[in-house]
Amino acid sequence: MLEIRTDLAIESKELYRETNKEEAPGVEVEKLEDEEYEITRVKILDEKGEESLGKPKGTYITIQVPKLKSADQDLKDKISKVLAKEIKGLGKSNKDTKTLIIGLGNWNVTPDALGPKVVDRVLVTRQYFIAYNKEEDETVANVSALSPGVMGLTGIETSEIVKGIVEKTRPDLVIAIDALASRKMDRVSTTIQISDTGINPGSGIGNKRIGLNQEYLGVPVLAIGVPTVVDAATMVNDTMDLILESMKSVAESGTEFYSTLQQVSNEEKYYLIREVLEPFMPNVVVTPKEIDLIIDDLSIIIANGLNIALHHGIHLEDVNRYIR
Amino acid sequence: MLEIRTDLAIESKELYRETNKEEAPGVEVEKLEDEEYEITRVKILDEKGEESLGKPKGTYITIQVPKLKSADQDLKDKISKVLAKEIKGLGKSNKDTKTLIIGLGNWNVTPDALGPKVVDRVLVTRQYFIAYNKEEDETVANVSALSPGVMGLTGIETSEIVKGIVEKTRPDLVIAIDALASRKMDRVSTTIQISDTGINPGSGIGNKRIGLNQEYLGVPVLAIGVPTVVDAATMVNDTMDLILESMKSVAESGTEFYSTLQQVSNEEKYYLIREVLEPFMPNVVVTPKEIDLIIDDLSIIIANGLNIALHHGIHLEDVNRYIR
Amino acid sequence: MLEIRTDLAIESKELYRETNKEEAPGVEVEKLEDEEYEITRVKILDEKGEESLGKPKGTYITIQVPKLKSADQDLKDKISKVLAKEIKGLGKSNKDTKTLIIGLGNWNVTPDALGPKVVDRVLVTRQYFIAYNKEEDETVANVSALSPGVMGLTGIETSEIVKGIVEKTRPDLVIAIDALASRKMDRVSTTIQISDTGINPGSGIGNKRIGLNQEYLGVPVLAIGVPTVVDAATMVNDTMDLILESMKSVAESGTEFYSTLQQVSNEEKYYLIREVLEPFMPNVVVTPKEIDLIIDDLSIIIANGLNIALHHGIHLEDVNRYIR
Amino acid sequence: MLEIRTDLAIESKELYRETNKEEAPGVEVEKLEDEEYEITRVKILDEKGEESLGKPKGTYITIQVPKLKSADQDLKDKISKVLAKEIKGLGKSNKDTKTLIIGLGNWNVTPDALGPKVVDRVLVTRQYFIAYNKEEDETVANVSALSPGVMGLTGIETSEIVKGIVEKTRPDLVIAIDALASRKMDRVSTTIQISDTGINPGSGIGNKRIGLNQEYLGVPVLAIGVPTVVDAATMVNDTMDLILESMKSVAESGTEFYSTLQQVSNEEKYYLIREVLEPFMPNVVVTPKEIDLIIDDLSIIIANGLNIALHHGIHLEDVNRYIR
């Protein structure tokens, strides 16, 4: 059974292969490569797949864009459009779908503020449907949006707030935006994951016990996430692996140091590191230095993607036109 | 019937007297003067009082502090304590009361951001009661807090969000914090109103149709408000009155201008001004220039007051100790 | 001589005509109308012109865009381009000009934060010229930018800070961005003024005694300003005028009230209002309610305009591409 | 010669001892322990000391407060007072000293924003001395303050901006506040360093080439710094050491892994890690998760300390009274 947790299905898959030296059963993978990005669609098909990847059945789409951190406007716009296409491809919304967008995370903690920043920027329209007493519209869909904060700020479980609002406003679809943790520094701020399984207890960073999924809320839940941190233990672990790797290539014969380290199993090593770091662990994160600016950029890319995906009158060329 | 609206019961009372040349019936008034502040408790006793002041039955306490805008730390602390005492005096909470604090208003519009800023700063504890599965505590009360945003940001009526959360979390008391409009510039940022009637449809600035009251939420609702703007029509109106006043004292004999102006009735004048200003009206506010700093200060004063009022282990000398 | 001060040359011109019932001498005016905006170029030609408008010799260009406050992206982009063209038209910069952009105003006071927000967003390049030890570049000009704050924040006169930096970095051109006061509410946030005279002592709102001009700094100084407030006295005054106007049209015969008010001269009326408002005056401003969002929008429009005007490799179609 | 750089003199000293197995020559150390904090005064006495620690001659005071991150108000106030006492103890200021406080760092990058946040909060008074044309005052000293930004924001070297302002305003003393990097996670946000040597080229994180010292500015320069990040290589390195340490205690006999790792020298290990991390290095930082709140807290503690140290009328009991 898998001990090392990650928010990205693509990483769970990699971990399974590393540990078991075979592909995970009950899982289907589809790849699509472009010059500037790569899309991977991981489908967990059955209970075997659920068990092997430690995530519920459903589709997990990863858009990886190595140059996203230093992207020019053209690339950003392109990714908004790719994101919109993938969201639509999940088939959970049409032009009359009432969508509630939930920005998860703590707006006071920069790497955790992605969700609230997207909510700040997305086009919100439900008030007009109410004001004009309309059920549908040619160009614009019925969208509401809210950032419920985190329990440390409100004293209330996020899921309770969202459930309360869903019961009052009766949306057809919930889309939750969240900052994730990755195992690899090079995925931080360069990867967007979309899934149709919502957010499930036990997944995610640290102490989020929320389950924002169809089972709890009664409507389909899409989750959009971007890794914005790696945890410290992972980082040390991966660096030690890189050291091993580099020593292997440099000195084939190998020093004693190298050969010994190699004998330590992956799990043993990671466990050791966690134990050593434990006292600092819950409170230390590793992030890009320019994380404040990166979060700003990402929130615009995602808000644009949502605007295009949800509103039928907002076309690809309108990107950036409806950003708040 | 009264046409000119104000958020402050003390101003409704004044308007009634100005218009009717007598005190409002069904209304009881209590005054308490201190060197640095003045407390006025307006009690609307019955339906006659409701009709004369255009506000529901209940107690409306006004703390007026002329020097609040340029207050030193001692005065700020004193006002926090006075506020705490008046909140307690309303008798809606004891040490086991579960309180939900709601910060009304738009955090993107400076003079409207008072509520959200108080929520940012107030001590929130409900999560510990849940984590330790406790019902009561010696020193700290069960407090949660949330800023629901405004309909233009979320697409959802504020009252629906609050109602949804009340149903999920079952507090015993809701306290709503809001920025108000005053008729007089010298009340802006110098006056705190506390009432036990909640927030009622038809009151408040502009388009807030929310009713956050016991009738809708099912639990008692206290409202704490501070005027942070005057509306433009009011300002012009009051200035014209001041001109009349000044002319009267300067030139007793009076010019024609003066005597004519005086003949115009109050309603006629205000109506005229509104009509002329209408095209600009909904979007123009008159505020102190340093409103950004004032809102910061006021939010600390009120959060301190709430902390002292709600938590039995936080004493008067602890002011500023639990501010986030 | 003119008593009523305004930051806009176009208003000085109007005031002169209102008071003197003739056009100001020594002043040349050029108009250019478009469907969505109107450009007025006021040229003060000589000392007569200086005296009549109370402003130094030079060119004052006003771009008026009535719909700017609710502009869609196309209109915003268009105005950035118009602004760029007018800046270039003043002939103070070419591709090798070293420009220092100064964001005047207090970032803590929303309507005064325009300059600092533009500086936050403008493309800054001087560091690359230093790093690569270059004097010129094909696509990008040498631009530095700084917001010196206000004396209340730093304890230092803004002009001293700017002078110190000019002496150290030796730019060829200074461009100062500032928030202005207008006499008319409908000019607030809809008008951009560009002048080649810099910022001069005695002009501007309140207590800015700075002189950021060629005489003091030793290099040409362009000033770009947008009115973001009207002062309270002006507002009351203009409303009273509008009342008169409306009464004239409604009831031709006129009430006594109307005919009397009309007899009061402009100066007398304004003087009266100022006196009455004096106690509140220095600290009260009248602004659009959504001023926070407006300042954000305007800062992007102006930063885009500057980017296009200064950098020869940034073309009209690149608008929004280099905004931070 | 020492390769591993650190901003803290106390760490340079430790590194010297680790590497050379003896105390650094030309260096004097004084310790002072309290229940809640520890003060270490490292005095570099001569050229030998300069060479051994890689820092210029002078006094480097470190206040270490293990519980600072979760400090209650009493501890925070106490540290402000301790800081004030140590600043005074350096003997560079008296009641007539004109001080310019410089907030170094990038306000857009949370862990680098300490300096600008202190400047936001410190009591600034120079404007009153100018307005009232005074040279001295009984209660308040002449203080100005400015955050010059970083070269990436302004295009101008920080030192040039400061030099320009010093030449214009002629202060007697400059105090520069900066965020530092530490080698140890447990020093982050718990340690304040004060030195009378200013900030010197080659020290500090990354690419700051500024020299803010008496030699360049012509007046004494105090530097106050707090480590807010550790660099990634250091973190991996220290974790590996901790692993070794923990293995030693757990299994005395030792695995092969342990004994081999121990044979690798410190330099070899650190060098290896740096090389492996190089591609990510410049842009990755390790910070406490709640860094946003920590920076806020620290800026208040330091601003309070400066207010007490500089203004003779602000006494210890006035802490928090003059914070903006």
Side-chain angles (χ1 to χ4, degrees), chain C residues 100 102 104 107 146-151 153-169 210 212 216-217, chain D residues 100 126 144-148 156 160-166 168-169:
Chain C
L100 169 61
I102 294 294
L104 297 171
W107 45 75
L146 188 112
S147 297
V150 295
M151 208 175 178
L153 294 175
T154 61
I156 311 173
E157 278 221 58
T158 310
S159 53
E160 285 183 305
I161 297 175
V162 177
K163 175 83 166 168
I165 292 163
V166 165
E167 284 176 1
K168 287 290 147 210
T169 65
I210 52 169
L212 285 184
Y216 181 63
L217 295 181
Chain D
L100 169 62
R126 185 175 172 273
S144 54
L146 187 112
S147 296
I156 311 173
E160 286 184 303
I161 297 174
V162 177
K163 175 82 166 168
I165 292 163
V166 166
K168 288 288 147 213
T169 65

Side-chain angles (χ1 to χ4, degrees), chain A residues 141-275:
Chain A
N142 183 320
V143 173
S144 54
L146 187 111
S147 296
V150 295
M151 207 174 177
L153 294 175
T154 61
I156 312 174
E157 278 220 58
T158 309
S159 53
E160 286 184 303
I161 297 175
V162 177
K163 176 82 166 168
I165 292 163
V166 165
E167 286 176 0
K168 288 289 146 209
T169 65
R170 300 270 164 223
D172 304 315
L173 174 67
V174 167
I175 300 182
I177 320 294
D178 202 5
L180 308 177
S182 166
R183 290 190 63 244
K184 294 198 186 302
M185 202 64 218
D186 58 7
R187 285 216 178 88
V188 165
S189 315
T190 62
T191 297
I192 304 172
Q193 175 176 272
I194 313 150
S195 84
D196 58 5
T197 59
I199 287 170
N200 295 284
S203 87
I205 332 171
N207 52 0
K208 283 174 202 157
R209 292 158 307 153
I210 53 168
L212 286 184
N213 49 30
Q214 180 152 15
E215 193 189 338
Y216 181 62
L217 295 182
V219 294
V221 182
L222 301 189
I224 299 178
V226 176
T228 60
V229 296
V230 297
D231 83 299
T234 303
M235 202 212 167
V236 174
N237 187 68
D238 289 358
T239 310
M240 285 173 77
D241 286 354
L242 284 167
I243 289 175
L244 284 183
E245 210 59 45
S246 76
M247 290 179 82
K248 187 156 69 184
S249 59
V250 169
E252 198 56 65
S253 62
T255 60
E256 275 238 56
F257 174 54
Y258 160 64
S259 66
T260 318
L261 256 178
Q262 222 180 16
Q263 284 155 29
V264 187
S265 76
N266 265 339
E267 281 95 313
E268 192 183 337
K269 198 150 46 69
Y270 185 73
Y271 175 80
L272 213 64
I273 294 167
R274 274 188 81 96
E275 189 160 272

Side-chain angles (χ1 to χ4, degrees), chain C residues 54-324:
Chain C
K55 296 193 179 307
K57 245 190 300 187
T59 301
Y60 301 81
I61 302 166
T62 310
I63 308 171
Q64 286 178 275
V65 196
K67 288 184 190 151
L68 193 58
K69 256 189 287 189
S70 55
D72 61 16
Q73 195 58 46
D74 288 333
L75 179 56
K76 288 178 193 170
D77 292 354
K78 190 187 279 188
I79 299 308
S80 290
K81 292 170 195 170
V82 168
L83 175 60
K85 209 177 141 199
E86 293 299 322
I87 293 171
K88 281 184 185 173
L90 286 170
K92 300 291 182 190
S93 66
N94 61 49
K95 78 183 183 55
D96 297 334
T97 306
K98 294 175 188 162
T99 305
L100 169 61
I101 298 172
I102 294 294
L104 297 171
N106 185 344
W107 45 75
N108 291 331
V109 174
T110 308
D112 203 27
L114 179 69
K117 290 233 167 183
V118 170
V119 159
D120 277 358
R121 285 179 153 137
V122 95
L123 181 65
V124 167
T125 56
R126 184 175 174 274
Q127 67 271 36
Y128 306 118
F129 285 81
I130 290 175
Y132 299 111
N133 206 10
K134 288 174 82 168
E135 270 301 304
E136 45 185 288
D137 182 88
E138 282 306 291
T139 54
V140 156
N142 184 321
V143 173
S144 53
L146 188 112
S147 297
V150 295
M151 208 175 178
L153 294 175
T154 61
I156 311 173
E157 278 221 58
T158 310
S159 53
E160 285 183 305
I161 297 175
V162 177
K163 175 83 166 168
I165 292 163
V166 165
E167 284 176 1
K168 287 290 147 210
T169 65
R170 299 269 163 226
D172 305 314
L173 174 67
V174 168
I175 301 182
I177 320 295
D178 201 6
L180 308 178
S182 166
R183 290 191 62 243
K184 295 199 185 301
M185 203 63 218
D186 59 7
R187 283 216 179 88
V188 165
S189 314
T190 62
T191 297
I192 304 172
Q193 175 175 273
I194 313 151
S195 83
D196 58 5
T197 59
I199 287 171
N200 294 285
S203 87
I205 330 171
N207 51 0
K208 283 173 201 157
R209 291 158 307 154
I210 52 169
L212 285 184
N213 49 30
Q214 180 152 13
E215 191 190 338
Y216 181 63
L217 295 181
V219 295
V221 182
L222 300 189
I224 300 179
V226 176
T228 60
V229 296
V230 297
D231 83 299
T234 303
M235 202 214 164
V236 174
N237 187 67
D238 289 358
T239 310
M240 285 173 77
D241 287 354
L242 284 167
I243 291 175
L244 284 184
E245 209 57 45
S246 76
M247 290 178 83
K248 186 155 71 184
S249 58
V250 170
E252 197 57 64
S253 62
T255 60
E256 274 239 53
F257 174 54
Y258 159 65
S259 64
T260 316
L261 257 179
Q262 224 180 13
Q263 285 154 29
V264 186
S265 77
N266 265 342
E267 282 96 313
E268 190 183 338
K269 196 149 48 67
Y270 186 74
Y271 175 79
L272 213 63
I273 293 167
R274 274 189 81 96
E275 188 159 276
V276 163
L277 284 175
E278 201 73 293
F280 318 106
M281 276 284 289
N283 296 314
V284 174
V285 291
V286 185
T287 71
K289 201 177 167 192
E290 349 73 273
I291 186 69
D292 304 70
L293 301 172
I294 288 174
I295 293 287
D296 260 359
D297 271 3
L298 284 170
S299 69
I300 293 174
I301 292 171
I302 295 175
N304 266 323
L306 286 168
N307 286 348
I308 300 172
L310 299 178
H311 301 292
H312 281 61
I314 301 187
H315 297 293
L316 301 194
E317 62 269 31
D318 295 321
V319 105
N320 281 318
R321 183 128 306 164
Y322 297 92
I323 274 291
R324 290 201 284 205

Side-chain angles (χ1 to χ4, degrees), chain A residues 110 257 261 283 287 289 292, chain D residues 110 257 261 283 285 289 292:
Chain A
T110 308
F257 174 54
L261 256 178
N283 296 315
T287 71
K289 201 176 167 192
D292 304 70
Chain D
T110 309
F257 175 53
L261 258 177
N283 296 314
V285 290
K289 200 178 168 191
D292 304 69

Side-chain angles (χ1 to χ4, degrees), chain D residues 229-248:
Chain D
V229 296
V230 296
D231 82 299
T234 303
M235 201 212 166
V236 174
N237 187 68
D238 288 358
T239 310
M240 284 173 78
D241 287 353
L242 284 167
I243 290 175
L244 285 183
E245 209 58 45
S246 77
M247 289 178 84
K248 188 156 70 181

Side-chain angles (χ1 to χ4, degrees), chain D residues 140-152:
Chain D
V140 157
N142 183 322
V143 172
S144 54
L146 187 112
S147 296
V150 295
M151 208 176 176

